[in-house]
Amino acid sequence: MRVGVLTGGGDCPGLNAVIRAVVRKGVQEHGFEFVGYRDGWKGPLEGLTMPLGVAQCRGILPRGGTILGSSRTNPFKLDNGVERIKDNLAAAGVDALVAIGGEDTLGVATKLADLGVHVVGVPKTIDNDLSGTDFTFGFDTAVNIATEAIDRLHTTAESHHRVLVVEVMGRHAGWIALHSGIAGGASAVLIPEQPFDIEKVCAHVETRFESTYAPIIVVSEGAVPVDGGDMTLVSGEKDAFGHVRLGGIGDRLASEIEHRTGKEARAVVLGHIQRGGTPTAFDRWLATRFGLQAADAVAEGDFGTMMALRGTRIERVPLAEGTAELKLVSPEEYAEAQVFFG
């Protein structure tokens, strides 16, 4: 059997670990031949391939990013996109695809599976917002990077008696902000699921200074104020999946706090630092297990499925279930953490 592998959407620590696991098990136990598709769905759409075997996978386990490249190409937005993918797969003799990605990449995989393409999905996103799995690889690395940044910022905030606002990724889900905020001892965490009251945030800042502690506020890039106003700057551009580029909430929030309280405030935007670099041990472990199970799913002809972590077990769930809805921070989970903020 000849199997294609692609990685789509934003890059993520652990992608190479999945590729390595799929290929090693596929070759050694199932006798597969692999072809790497370059740059997400653009690869099978345009026939962009690269050799992919055990030799190409040596030494990539600790590497961030993806050796296959990535893109946000959406074949369903292009004329004859699906037909072009089917034709290119047939021309290359590819019997099945392993698609590694988040909601957008796996959303395309779900539609292709419904149209008869043999696809197996592996979930990845630093945002941890896919509903079909308890955790996605990349999330633990992002949280660790954000936590280390918060740890370092505590000392400079205290030294200069200033407010520091740390903007982390999280368009719709506040998992990175919540986990890193708790782990890093932040004073407050603002997430997209719970609109914030800027007056209460400023009152909290005043209270923190009264107790001689300089506040650290962690905010997701998609957080919004409770009055419905927009403090998030966007470029106005949209990608192929209709997402606008978010950014700027940290700077706007710091400016508003300084204006209202008179306290010096600075914003730190972690941005793509959260995505880059070597994956944590947990993400390598999880990505490897996903890859091993994906190779088995292909061998068994269990297409239209996605690998999922349920407790400590890797299970297969329908692709449609894995991409049906976003996994958001619940009001109960957010409320539970409030004992640490204040």
Side-chain angles (χ1 to χ4, degrees), residues 40-310:
W41 289 113
K42 184 178 180 180
L45 188 69
E46 301 183 6
L48 306 176
T49 64
M50 63 172 279
L52 187 61
V54 173
Q56 285 76 29
C57 293
R58 291 194 178 106
I60 68 172
L61 177 64
R63 284 177 57 182
T66 164
I67 62 170
L68 296 176
S70 189
S71 73
R72 296 192 182 278
T73 302
N74 183 353
F76 286 91
K77 293 290 187 180
L78 302 172
D79 291 338
N80 301 316
V82 174
E83 289 74 16
R84 288 164 60 186
I85 286 178
K86 288 183 175 181
D87 290 344
N88 284 328
L89 292 178
V94 172
D95 304 294
L97 271 178
V98 175
I100 311 166
E103 59 169 319
D104 295 326
T105 301
L106 295 186
V108 170
T110 302
K111 294 178 181 178
L112 289 175
D114 291 339
L115 294 172
V117 178
H118 292 164
V119 185
V120 167
V122 176
K124 71 87 204 165
T125 168
I126 66 170
D127 292 332
N128 198 43
D129 59 0
L130 286 176
S131 59
T133 181
D134 290 349
F135 285 99
T136 53
F137 67 87
F139 172 66
D140 187 69
T141 302
V143 169
N144 273 273
I145 291 170
T147 300
E148 181 181 356
I150 296 167
D151 288 345
R152 292 176 179 275
L153 291 171
H154 274 291
T155 54
T156 187
E158 297 295 341
S159 297
H160 291 276
H161 312 293
R162 61 168 57 126
V163 185
L164 284 179
V165 178
V166 184
E167 180 183 320
V168 300
M169 286 185 169
R171 174 184 298 276
H172 302 295
W175 294 109
I176 294 176
L178 185 63
H179 281 235
S180 64
I182 291 175
S187 307
V189 171
L190 310 179
I191 62 175
E193 296 91 332
Q194 299 290 326
F196 63 89
D197 185 329
I198 185 62
E199 291 186 4
K200 290 183 178 179
V201 172
C202 291
H204 174 68
V205 166
E206 298 278 15
T207 301
R208 287 290 292 181
F209 275 113
E210 288 174 4
S211 60
T212 71
Y213 284 100
I216 301 282
I217 298 173
V218 180
V219 57
S220 295
E221 61 184 341
V224 294
V226 71
D227 61 8
D230 189 4
M231 295 180 69
T232 303
L233 300 179
V234 298
S235 68
E237 301 174 358
K238 293 185 178 181
D239 65 20
F241 293 93
H243 302 310
V244 296
R245 291 179 58 189
L246 295 182
I249 184 65
D251 286 323
R252 294 287 294 276
L253 189 60
S255 177
E256 195 69 19
I257 289 171
E258 186 166 303
H259 174 73
R260 291 176 180 238
T261 68
K263 306 294 185 182
E264 185 180 7
R266 295 287 185 272
V268 177
V269 182
L270 297 186
H272 288 78
I273 291 174
Q274 296 156 91
R275 293 189 177 280
T278 186
T280 60
F282 178 85
D283 280 340
R284 299 184 203 189
W285 168 85
L286 180 57
T288 297
R289 292 187 69 196
F290 277 161
L292 296 175
Q293 290 294 325
D296 286 344
V298 172
E300 296 168 18
D302 195 6
F303 302 118
T305 58
M306 183 191 86
M307 306 306 106
L309 179 67
R310 299 286 177 87

Side-chain angles (χ1 to χ4, degrees), residues 2-6 23 32-38 47-53 68 89 92-98:
R2 196 159 200 236
V3 181
V5 181
L6 65 84
V23 170
F32 294 162
E33 179 185 353
F34 285 92
V35 56
Y37 278 105
R38 300 297 308 271
L48 306 176
T49 64
M50 63 172 279
L52 187 61
L68 296 176
L89 292 178
V94 172
D95 304 294
L97 271 178
V98 175

